[in-house]
Amino acid sequence: MPELIVPDGLVCGVDEAGRGPLAGPVVAAAVILDPARPIVGLNDSKKLSERRRAALAIEIREKALAWAVAEASVEEIDRLNILHASLLAMQRAVAGLGVAPERALIDGNRCPRLPVPAEAVVKGDGKIASIAAASILAKTVRDAGMLVLHEQYPHYGFDRHMGYPTPAHFAALEAHGASPVHRRSFAPVARQLSLL
């Protein structure tokens, strides 16, 4: 497990989950960790088991100085494009923090417009503890939301692939067409709609 950096001061880490899927919202989280209450085992959410993510998400909510989760809808993704929708979700997450950060560290290579200085950190979820914490909250909240969508649209298998472009998802799209929660601006969905 890597030793992640915990920056000094009120620094929020920001990350998103769900840029690649063909369905569902993109979810972002912002977290300000408390250096006096360290959380052991933080890492890029994709490198953790589902069970470990769930346990860490509870601990992050309990121990962080502040945290917030926000999303951009499928409609916003289709209107703005996925990059700008992701940045919008990040803005909303930072705005939702109960404690104002002094600066923000953003996973990736682009920063949303924020009222505080922001720095992009490539692969930040594997380097900076607060970004790792944000990646865990974003992923667990998005996955929980996709399970709710699975209840509404069970024949797409969202409970298994969370909306990502898997062979099973492509087969379901072909069999059933696009649901209201599919991203119409994404090529595989647009192709399917043009076939109908």
Side-chain angles (χ1 to χ4, degrees), residues 22-23 152-158 161 168-184 186-196:
L22 306 178
Q152 295 172 259
Y153 306 101
H155 37 275
Y156 292 99
F158 292 147
H161 53 64
H169 193 178
F170 285 132
L173 259 179
E174 197 150 314
H176 305 288
S179 75
V181 297
H182 276 92
R183 300 172 179 179
R184 279 144 172 72
F186 278 45
V189 180
R191 265 200 305 277
Q192 186 55 42
L193 289 167
S194 71
L195 297 175
L196 298 179

Side-chain angles (χ1 to χ4, degrees), residues 26 28 30 68-73 76 79-80 85-97 112-114:
V26 61
V69 179
E71 66 177 45
S73 67
E76 288 170 322
R79 191 172 76 245
L80 301 171
S86 299
L87 295 173
L88 177 61
M90 289 178 176
Q91 282 177 328
R92 289 171 174 164
V94 174
L97 289 169
R113 282 200 184 131
L114 296 174

Side-chain angles (χ1 to χ4, degrees), residues 30-100:
V31 178
I32 303 174
L33 291 175
D34 183 349
R37 304 182 77 196
I39 299 169
V40 176
L42 290 174
N43 199 356
D44 171 0
S45 64
K46 297 181 288 297
K47 294 183 176 156
L48 300 167
S49 68
E50 186 181 341
R51 203 164 139 196
R52 189 75 189 112
R53 275 197 304 268
L56 282 167
I58 293 167
E59 197 176 349
I60 292 161
R61 287 182 166 91
E62 286 172 355
K63 290 184 173 177
L65 287 173
W67 61 271
V69 179
E71 66 177 45
S73 67
V74 169
E75 293 74 23
E76 288 170 322
I77 291 167
D78 285 341
R79 191 172 76 245
L80 301 171
N81 80 35
I82 186 59
L83 171 64
H84 289 100
S86 299
L87 295 173
L88 177 61
M90 289 178 176
Q91 282 177 328
R92 289 171 174 164
V94 174
L97 289 169
V99 175

